[in-house]
Amino acid sequence: MSVVTAHQSSSISPVMPTYNRADLAFDHGEGCYLVTGDGQRYLDFAAGIAVNALGHNHPHLVQALKGQGEKLWHVSNLYRIPEAERLAQRLVEHSFADTMFLTNSGAEAWECGVKVIRKYFSHQGQPERFRIICVDGAFHGRTMAGISATRQTKMIDGFGPLLDGFDVVPFGDLGAIVSAIGPETAAIHLEPIQGEGGIRPLDASFLQAVRALCDEHGLLLYLDEVQCGMGRTGKLFAHEWAGITPDVVSAAKGIGGGFPLGACLTTAGAAAGMVAGSHGSTYGGNPLASAVGNAVLDVLLEPGFLDQVADTGDRLRAALTSLHQRFSVIETVRGAGLMLGLKLTDQLAAGDLVAALRERHLLTVPASDNTVRLLPPLIIEQTHIDEALTALEDSLASLMSTTKTMEGASP
């Protein structure tokens, strides 16, 4: 007899209850706004967690999706896919990479990067070099390897034993990275800006020092740009601000503007071991996904677009800094471009501010380290910044007033 009783419908929902969802559903989107079935509009500074880079219902993306959808959706990678070849060529032309593998998600792109690294050293006759130095607070997806590389309690609880091969060191501690390098070390792995970890950026000098360490010890530099890449900081990839060249980069989220798409980008040297049969995907880079990815690139690569993202990010940061100066509950403003975070003091929980903002029809994203993420579409304008600032001011004032009232009522 099975230890699990089938059809216990009274104890679980048809959708597995792995999300703590807000009681809110949207009918459609319009640019930087999401609209409920009864017509309520919400300014979207979550963007599907940095996914909807060009907002909602973008005409160029819709046209690309419809056009390709009427021709060919899927053929598998048994055959050439011209749209995928074009997407890869364009990304190569505008990045450090020489080649790439197209996937359906960030987690798949990240896992591909791990395989590239292990295969590289095996190909070099050094299969014993497989360990990757990772950083505390990072997020690399929820696969078994992804959670093994981050070791966050909330993600690993109940899923042990974890996979071997990942050595986690404290965030921003160059000495700890140096100490972790051993004869089995293959790569050092970083997010230039941690997303889920609380919008924690690594400065240019740190990234440059890590690149130098990799060169000194014959290691590969692997960057996770799933959230901070694809234009979010005002350059196509965040590491460009540091002037460094990585060996492997995982990308996703904004790359498809909302359509499931990811990419593992590498140098020719790093990909030396990746030959026919060494990796694969049923859906990755299919005609439909690639057509949308190319449409996203059409916009991101328009002359001046990324400069405008950087300028808008500076203006949003200035607005948030003004709030910081007026509300002591904001400990700091951090991030870059349109990937910004409000790190709060212990006086206010990030989740409470996110909920209060949602009541005022502004959507944001909570993160670790008691941080509220602001990840708007890259197309926001000053009017959207002004609208968001009003919601933030009202929410913070209301929450602080409630806190003071409760403190005054305490015996």
Side-chain angles (χ1 to χ4, degrees):
M1 179 182 294
S2 171
V3 298
V4 179
T5 302
H7 300 300
Q8 292 180 331
S9 57
S10 61
S11 63
I12 192 169
S13 66
V15 177
M16 191 176 290
T18 58
Y19 297 106
N20 185 22
R21 303 176 191 265
D23 187 17
L24 189 60
F26 298 105
D27 176 75
H28 63 280
E30 302 170 356
C32 297
Y33 293 89
L34 283 167
V35 186
T36 63
D38 60 359
Q40 297 185 62
R41 292 165 61 84
Y42 288 75
L43 180 59
D44 188 5
F45 269 45
I49 314 183
V51 168
N52 299 98
L54 302 180
H56 304 279
N57 202 24
H58 191 284
H60 186 59
L61 270 62
V62 172
Q63 181 182 18
L65 183 64
K66 285 183 175 180
Q68 186 61 48
E70 292 172 351
K71 294 193 298 182
L72 186 65
W73 288 27
H74 180 77
V75 294
S76 91
N77 286 292
L78 294 173
Y79 315 101
R80 287 183 55 200
I81 302 176
E83 274 291 333
E85 293 172 6
R86 177 170 174 255
L87 176 59
Q89 181 61 42
R90 296 172 77 192
L91 284 168
V92 163
E93 289 173 355
H94 291 89
S95 75
F96 76 97
D98 299 308
T99 189
M100 70 195 58
F101 184 92
L102 293 171
T103 70
N104 311 285
S105 67
E108 290 172 84
W110 183 83
E111 290 259 353
C112 179
V114 172
K115 291 181 70 175
V116 165
I117 291 165
R118 291 191 174 189
K119 190 70 168 178
Y120 169 80
F121 282 99
S122 176
H123 183 70
Q124 299 296 320
Q126 298 175 289
E128 72 281 1
R129 297 183 67 177
F130 70 98
R131 306 194 70 83
I132 299 175
I133 298 172
C134 302
V135 175
D136 178 59
F139 179 77
H140 305 306
R142 294 180 183 271
T143 62
M144 281 304 302
I147 64 174
S148 297
T150 58
R151 306 295 172 107
Q152 294 189 50
T153 302
K154 66 182 180 181
M155 294 177 192
I156 67 176
D157 187 31
F159 296 114
L162 300 179
L163 304 183
D164 191 21
F166 304 99
D167 300 311
V168 181
V169 301
F171 176 86
D173 189 336
L174 190 64
I177 292 177
V178 173
S179 296
I181 297 173
E184 294 182 336
T185 304
I188 300 174
H189 184 37
L190 308 166
E191 291 174 275
I193 304 175
Q194 287 191 349
E196 199 281 335
I199 310 296
R200 298 196 296 176
L202 292 167
D203 61 35
S205 62
F206 188 92
L207 291 172
Q208 291 161 4
V210 172
R211 175 70 268 182
L213 272 178
C214 290
D215 294 340
E216 178 185 351
H217 294 275
L219 310 176
L220 297 182
L221 176 58
Y222 181 18
L223 300 180
D224 182 336
E225 294 225 22
V226 168
Q227 188 164 152
C228 64
M230 300 312 298
R232 184 139 295 273
T233 66
K235 290 195 181 286
L236 195 60
F237 292 102
H239 70 262
E240 294 176 38
W241 293 104
I244 62 170
T245 300
D247 299 293
V248 184
V249 166
S250 54
K253 289 190 180 286
I255 195 173
F259 198 95
L261 181 62
C264 176
L265 301 91
T266 82
T267 62
M274 301 301 286
V275 296
S278 58
H279 196 49
S281 171
T282 297
Y283 299 104
N286 73 16
L288 203 57
S290 296
V292 177
N294 274 308
V296 171
L297 274 188
D298 289 343
V299 179
L300 295 187
L301 298 179
E302 286 178 357
F305 182 85
L306 293 178
D307 291 337
Q308 182 62 39
V309 171
D311 176 69
T312 305
D314 287 343
R315 286 186 278 119
L316 177 57
R317 189 186 189 99
L320 297 177
T321 299
S322 72
L323 286 179
H324 178 208
Q325 294 168 348
R326 285 178 283 150
F327 292 94
S328 61
V329 71
I330 300 176
E331 185 174 306
T332 188
V333 178
R334 57 196 187 191
L338 291 175
M339 184 178 179
L340 297 171
L342 296 177
K343 167 69 172 77
L344 305 178
T345 67
D346 293 340
Q347 190 179 1
L348 176 62
D352 291 342
L353 180 54
V354 169
L357 291 169
R358 191 165 57 241
E359 289 295 318
R360 290 165 176 80
H361 288 211
L362 175 65
L363 303 176
T364 56
V365 186
S368 299
D369 201 25
N370 203 31
T371 301
V372 175
R373 279 181 277 184
L374 294 100
L375 305 166
L378 306 184
I379 59 172
I380 62 166
E381 299 177 353
Q382 186 61 45
T383 55
H384 302 118
I385 293 176
D386 295 340
E387 185 177 344
L389 193 66
T390 297
L392 280 160
E393 287 176 325
D394 291 348
S395 297
L396 287 165
S398 176
L399 288 166
M400 290 302 92
S401 175
T402 300
T403 300
K404 290 178 180 178
T405 299
M406 292 177 65
E407 289 175 348
S410 298

